Amino acid sequence: MKIHAAYLPGLNAAELPQHTLSFGEDAQRVDVAVPQLTPAQLSALAAHVRARGGAQLKAMPVSQIIAAIDCAIERLLNAADPYRLELELLLPRITGFDAEMVRLGLNAYLKTFRAPQLQRFVAEDFANPKLLDEFQPVPKGGMARAYGPELLVHVWAGNVPGLPLWSLVCGLLVKAPAVGKVASAEPLFAPLFARLLAEVEPRLAEALAVVWFKGGDTASERALFGEADVVLAYGGNDTLHALRAQVPITTRFLPHGHKLSVGLVSAAALDAQQVQAVARAAALDVVRYEQQGCYSPHTFYVARGGRVTPREFAQALAGQLAALEHKFARRDLSLEEAASVTAWRQAQELRSFAGHPVELLGDADASWVVAYSDQADALQPCALHRTVQVQAVEQLRDAVPLLAAQRAYLQTVGIAAAPHELHALAGPLGEAGATRLCALGQMTAPEAGWHHDGRYSLLDLVRIVELEASAEAAAEQYAPYRD
Amino acid sequence: MRGTYRKAVVAEAAIPPSNEASPLVTDLLAFIARARGSEEDFNVLALRLFAHQFQHNLAFQKFCQQRGRTPRTVRRWQDIPAVPINAFKDLTLSCLPPEACERVFMTSGTTRGDVKGRHYHPHLRVYDLSMTLNFRARFMVGQERMRMGILFPNEQLMPHSSLAHYLALALHEFGTPDSRYYLGADGLLVDDLVATLRQVQSSGEPFALLGASYSFVHLMDALQARGLQFQLPAGSRLLDTGGFKGQSREMAMDEFYGALSQTFGVPRSACINMYGMTELSTQFYDAGNAVLPAVKSGPHWIRTRVVDPLTGQDVPPGERGILAHTDLGNFNSVTTILTEDVGVAVEGGFLLLGRAQGAQAKGCSLAVDEFLKANRV
């Protein structure tokens, strides 16, 4: 089947030359046609969104923006809604992820964007959310107001379904009209959301545009970034490096690089009663989106000293991965991905021959691999697609320096531990570079209002304008009612 | 066949492994020297080598046992476990102790920083015979000797480079006395080479220029900077190998061969690409690059399968897969290696489609390749 994906207010997409992105094969094949804009058309589109969309968006109080997003999310949570049906039909075909996994993942994810969660999101960054609507008195004296960018540009990456929603919503909450560039790996979600939002709230119809151009098209990047106050980009370090080179120095660049995440399992969680539940939670974190999220675990460090040994935990994890294989089939791997998985598996095996205590659990033809090691190493990425390491440590705090070795990349740490251990570990993990500590089983579902990669999602976007107390005081001298 | 094979194993176990005088090496040299080899003869020799390597290389033995493959169960060369090339970095894949080996070739270490793959050669008789017979057939095509220019350091500068040895062999075995290196410790000797190119251009003597693909890029840039182009005499040939490896700017294949042909006045059909690896003892060639991608093939003592990396089984004909080579020339290491190269089997050989390495992460999780790159010094 063939669909069109883009959202271009003020332009007739049908008149533009189209590029086709193809996904899947045979009956499952989807051709996504995306319009190709020239750099000049991109600039004009950006100017249109900034002027027309901005005027409408900036006139709305945050509470009304939240109401509009909530309304759109409610539609997406409704199993009978045509937009929802389109997502459920096409996202599995485009990304290759298991359809049931996508359905459950969408529900869990979209629930974090309902009105109460969005209010919390704003309150997380703004003690007084009205700062976004008008000048407000501030404790140090005087008044202040937060202005979102005149134009925000998003550069999305990757195929984790719905990922663009995070930054899209952040931009809307600070009243930033935005142009987003979708990734070739998943061009569907963002334009669909923009269309839906326009339908539920016509005042937002020109506040967003969604385009596609090939990654590395520097002429298009320059044209678009030249119009932006803030560029928010996702991608690998090479991509971010190349993008940054196209951003004017006066434009704020907010990069989100690829990350590494891990799980920690304490001896307290390792008894016969609990081990299966812990292993299940860990396995779900691995299986969800095939470890492609920045929050997905690559390694579980497991403490010795429980009734269940780290090796037995690895076996339990293997068992749960085997069980989940039937519930959520692994996506078909490209040749390159398959080669990468095989190379990783073989590398683990070679380490064992070279004297490292590594043991591979799972047959060569299973769609998952657990590499158990009796000896822990510095955190290393695995090959994704359900390849995971379990490494034994004496105590969980021994894992901290192993994580700190990758502090530039560290993000989420999923933890199964007793309360005193959890709180004792939080400090050292923070120092090691982690930005999010969560329960095992929740690694792929950050809570509403989380600070992505440890940054303020909304505050980073805005400009605070201060009306100082001196101006207020001085104004009194010129008041018509002065004494 | 089974009886012969058993006897051979017993006999070979009694003789010092990989010794030059061992019947295995003698038979191997004889097989390579033949004009052609049948599938059956290839199979017999491959299985003998497998039994030998299984017995004398414990790391390889473990690797095979993990897969349930032993000389008892392996009946076809296709069933010999393919060892990933990374194993040359992690393991000592040698039947003889490394210190007893005359030569070790090392990989350039482009993918894993400081860790180099090592390929141990007890002696180079097999390597050299393999190289010379194959080179004569595929590059010299009827010529005994040619005037040659080498765009690569010599063996003294790079004693552990298999390519340096390969090119030294080409120069000494097939080059005329005035053949020489045009790359020294300080880089390309552009002036010398320009003088030579001018000379052969006027004398009409066919000339062969051989070297790393990236050296050709540097050379073409240098010549372009001087505004120079040549029209080398008929019969002149070029041989490039190894790709660009981040040593020069990347060029698309079509652009590269177009530029080569234009710069040196050599038809693309005489621009030969050699595909070789430190982990092999035998090379593959194409018959020129007029049409891309060019079909690569090797001599009768090496065979290539195109496999699914997950299962290790051959992919259906015409489908892309990972290349696995069984090189009988690898008598001391392992005959069968699993590469990181993507290819497709075609009539008369295979097409090389690039490296599987660099599978782009589709999500926002860090991928192994990006990680390795970030940690490279």
Side-chain angles (χ1 to χ4, degrees):
Chain A
M1 64 184 295
K2 181 157 185 159
I3 60 158
H4 292 266
Y7 184 78
L8 307 172
L11 277 174
N12 184 355
E15 286 171 1
L16 295 166
Q18 306 283 318
H19 177 85
T20 302
L21 304 166
S22 295
F23 303 89
E25 282 172 23
D26 306 326
Q28 293 295 305
R29 181 179 167 127
V30 182
D31 289 328
V32 181
V34 283
Q36 287 181 293
L37 282 75
T38 62
Q41 286 170 317
L42 281 171
S43 298
L45 176 69
H48 177 89
V49 168
R50 182 175 49 216
R52 302 282 295 272
Q56 297 266 33
L57 186 56
K58 287 182 193 310
M60 289 171 75
V62 172
S63 57
Q64 289 180 16
I65 297 171
I66 288 179
I69 298 170
D70 182 57
C71 188
I73 297 293
E74 185 175 15
R75 293 273 304 268
L76 291 181
L77 281 165
N78 174 2
D81 190 273
Y83 285 89
R84 170 69 186 216
L85 291 170
E86 189 176 342
L87 287 180
E88 281 193 21
L89 174 71
L90 295 175
L91 279 179
R93 294 193 189 180
I94 286 174
T95 62
F97 293 126
D98 181 87
E100 181 66 0
M101 186 197 291
V102 168
R103 191 182 71 77
L104 293 172
L106 276 180
N107 282 349
Y109 181 63
L110 292 169
K111 277 193 291 194
T112 65
F113 292 94
R114 299 306 307 273
Q117 285 75 20
L118 293 172
Q119 281 157 357
R120 205 162 287 144
F121 206 159
V122 175
E124 212 34 70
D125 281 18
F126 294 95
N128 175 4
K130 281 192 80 71
L131 271 173
L132 288 161
D133 292 335
E134 54 198 58
F135 276 94
Q136 294 284 299
V138 289
K140 70 174 176 64
M143 304 181 83
R145 181 173 174 182
Y147 288 89
E150 294 284 294
L151 186 79
L152 172 62
V153 166
H154 307 269
V155 181
W156 294 302
N159 64 349
V160 176
L163 209 65
L165 193 57
W166 270 114
S167 64
L168 260 180
V169 165
C170 289
L172 289 169
L173 291 176
V174 299
K175 307 186 192 182
V179 180
K181 177 206 165 293
V182 292
S184 300
E186 202 284 87
L188 177 75
F189 190 96
L192 179 138
F193 183 77
R195 229 177 341 126
L196 172 58
L197 198 62
E199 192 177 310
V200 302
E201 175 51 90
R203 283 181 293 171
L204 295 180
E206 292 180 296
L208 296 178
V210 182
V211 299
W212 175 90
F213 49 82
K214 207 166 158 43
D217 173 353
T218 50
S220 295
E221 287 164 0
R222 254 199 314 278
L224 195 51
F225 299 170
E227 302 288 327
D229 292 341
V230 179
V231 174
L232 211 166
Y234 298 84
N237 286 346
D238 282 353
T239 306
L240 295 175
H241 187 77
L243 288 175
R244 187 171 62 183
Q246 308 304 330
V247 178
I249 192 70
T250 48
T251 296
R252 197 181 301 172
F253 182 61
L254 302 174
H256 284 285
H258 291 164
K259 295 290 174 187
L260 275 176
S261 295
V262 298
L264 300 181
V265 181
S266 141
L270 293 174
D271 63 35
Q273 232 178 351
Q274 311 219 55
V275 66
Q276 289 305 333
V278 178
R280 179 77 168 184
L284 282 167
D285 284 338
V286 170
V287 166
R288 288 183 181 133
Y289 303 134
E290 310 295 349
Q291 287 168 292
Q292 306 224 5
C294 45
Y295 38 47
S296 299
H298 290 245
T299 299
F300 291 95
Y301 291 101
V302 182
R304 293 185 219 275
R307 294 230 176 87
V308 171
T309 63
R311 185 170 181 278
E312 287 164 338
F313 172 79
Q315 287 169 327
L317 176 61
Q320 294 292 348
L321 287 171
L324 286 171
E325 188 177 356
H326 300 294
K327 191 166 178 206
F328 305 116
R330 179 171 74 181
R331 58 187 279 273
D332 289 336
L333 304 186
S334 70
L335 181 61
E336 287 74 12
E337 289 164 339
S340 167
V341 165
T342 302
W344 182 83
R345 194 191 156 91
Q346 287 169 339
Q348 300 299 321
E349 198 180 356
L350 294 175
R351 279 160 51 93
S352 77
F353 296 156
H356 290 270
V358 185
E359 185 183 349
L360 284 175
L361 307 175
D363 295 336
D365 56 357
S367 66
W368 51 272
V369 191
V370 177
Y372 172 71
S373 173
D374 220 25
Q375 181 188 307
D377 306 309
L379 177 61
Q380 296 258 341
C382 59
L384 315 182
H385 307 105
R386 310 186 191 189
T387 57
V388 67
Q389 312 178 67
V390 175
Q391 303 196 334
V393 288
E394 283 308 311
Q395 308 179 57
L396 288 187
R397 65 167 174 268
D398 297 343
V400 173
L402 305 176
L403 303 190
Q406 312 302 352
R407 61 176 297 124
Y409 296 106
L410 192 59
Q411 191 205 63
T412 297
V413 182
I415 306 179
H420 67 280
E421 291 176 289
L422 176 65
H423 293 291
L425 278 167
L429 286 173
E431 279 165 30
T435 53
R436 175 174 169 249
L437 315 180
C438 70
L440 277 192
Q442 295 298 315
M443 292 183 70
T444 65
E447 66 189 12
W450 75 309
H451 294 105
H452 189 177
D453 295 340
R455 297 299 314 176
Y456 282 94
S457 313
L458 304 183
L459 273 180
D460 272 356
L461 297 177
V462 303
R463 178 168 59 93
I464 301 286
V465 177
E466 295 184 312
L467 171 57
E468 293 198 350
S470 64
E472 279 189 275
E476 291 297 336
Q477 299 174 40
Y478 316 119
Y481 50 78
R482 69 179 184 274
D483 295 330
Chain B
M1 190 175 105
R2 195 165 170 176
T4 353
Y5 155 74
R6 288 247 176 271
K7 253 184 273 162
V9 171
V10 174
E12 272 145 27
I15 297 214
S18 312
N19 186 298
E20 262 183 81
S22 80
L24 188 54
V25 171
T26 311
D27 291 354
L28 175 59
L29 290 168
F31 181 76
I32 290 175
R34 279 157 55 172
R36 60 186 67 79
S38 69
E39 165 86 17
E40 194 188 325
D41 291 345
F42 181 89
N43 199 49
V44 170
L45 204 43
L47 295 179
R48 277 177 66 190
L49 285 165
F50 173 56
H52 171 74
Q53 291 164 359
F54 185 88
Q55 185 180 2
H56 294 290
N57 182 340
L58 291 185
F60 179 58
Q61 192 179 88
K62 268 200 221 168
F63 182 83
C64 296
Q65 280 167 339
Q66 200 109 49
R67 285 157 181 72
R69 306 274 175 85
T70 69
R72 279 178 194 285
T73 61
V74 171
R75 290 274 162 265
R76 307 181 316 143
W77 65 269
Q78 292 93 333
D79 296 332
I80 297 171
V83 177
I85 52 170
N86 265 322
F88 285 79
K89 296 176 181 168
D90 296 301
L91 306 177
T92 301
L93 289 172
S94 180
C95 290
L96 273 192
E99 59 275 15
C101 291
E102 175 189 318
R103 198 71 178 263
V104 52
F105 291 139
M106 298 186 196
T107 56
S108 47
T110 47
T111 47
R112 243 172 63 191
D114 49 335
V115 193
K116 290 173 188 287
R118 289 159 187 266
H119 193 182
Y120 297 99
H121 295 270
H123 54 79
L124 289 175
R125 281 185 58 202
V126 175
Y127 185 100
D128 290 357
L129 183 67
S130 168
M131 185 278 172
T132 48
L133 289 179
N134 199 17
F135 186 84
R136 175 172 290 137
R138 302 299 294 269
F139 188 76
M140 296 307 289
V141 282
Q143 298 278 97
E144 269 307 304
R145 287 188 176 269
M146 277 181 89
R147 183 165 182 183
M148 287 184 182
I150 308 289
L151 301 175
F152 201 74
N154 66 26
E155 280 191 286
Q156 285 68 48
L157 286 171
M158 296 188 75
H160 295 300
S161 160
S162 58
L163 181 57
H165 178 67
Y166 168 96
L167 290 169
L169 270 180
L171 186 79
H172 296 128
E173 301 296 318
F174 302 98
T176 54
D178 47 1
S179 298
R180 55 167 283 199
Y181 287 88
Y182 289 93
L183 204 146
D186 300 323
L188 274 177
L189 307 171
V190 181
D191 293 336
D192 289 9
L193 184 59
V194 166
T196 302
L197 293 173
R198 284 198 172 122
Q199 194 196 339
V200 295
Q201 189 170 258
S202 58
S203 75
E205 181 188 7
F207 187 68
L209 201 52
L210 306 88
S213 313
Y214 55 80
S215 302
F216 277 100
V217 177
H218 292 312
L219 175 60
M220 288 192 287
D221 288 348
L223 294 179
Q224 198 181 15
R226 298 174 184 212
L228 289 177
Q229 282 199 355
F230 296 90
Q231 195 63 48
L232 292 180
S236 294
R237 309 172 72 74
L238 307 180
L239 181 141
D240 80 286
T241 186
F244 308 114
K245 291 186 175 163
Q247 301 265 359
S248 71
R249 67 196 157 87
E250 294 281 321
M251 287 179 81
M253 283 297 112
D254 195 48
E255 185 196 357
F256 178 69
Y257 289 108
L260 272 187
S261 177
Q262 192 160 12
T263 308
F264 299 102
V266 173
R268 283 175 62 153
S269 57
C271 297
I272 312 292
N273 176 264
M274 184 274 275
Y275 163 53
M277 304 172 73
T278 303
E279 297 86 350
L280 290 175
S281 306
T282 302
Q283 298 79 33
F284 299 92
Y285 298 91
D286 53 40
N289 281 273
V291 181
L292 291 175
V295 179
K296 298 271 191 294
S297 60
H300 65 263
W301 58 93
I302 190 166
R303 282 173 191 253
T304 297
R305 297 164 56 218
V306 181
V307 303
D308 174 341
L310 290 178
T311 64
Q313 300 299 310
D314 288 23
V315 299
E319 276 190 22
R320 296 190 323 142
I322 302 294
L323 299 179
H325 306 300
T326 298
D327 181 7
L328 302 187
N330 275 6
F331 69 94
N332 177 60
S333 53
V334 289
T335 56
T336 306
I337 63 163
L338 181 67
T339 69
E340 292 168 346
D341 297 320
V342 178
V344 60
V346 292
E347 186 69 34
F350 57 88
L351 305 179
L352 187 61
L353 303 176
R355 279 171 79 78
Q357 258 245 338
Q360 273 260 310
K362 285 202 169 139
C364 47
S365 176
L366 195 67
V368 181
D369 282 338
E370 188 189 354
F371 178 79
L372 290 175
K373 216 167 141 194
N375 284 274
R376 203 175 300 155
V377 189

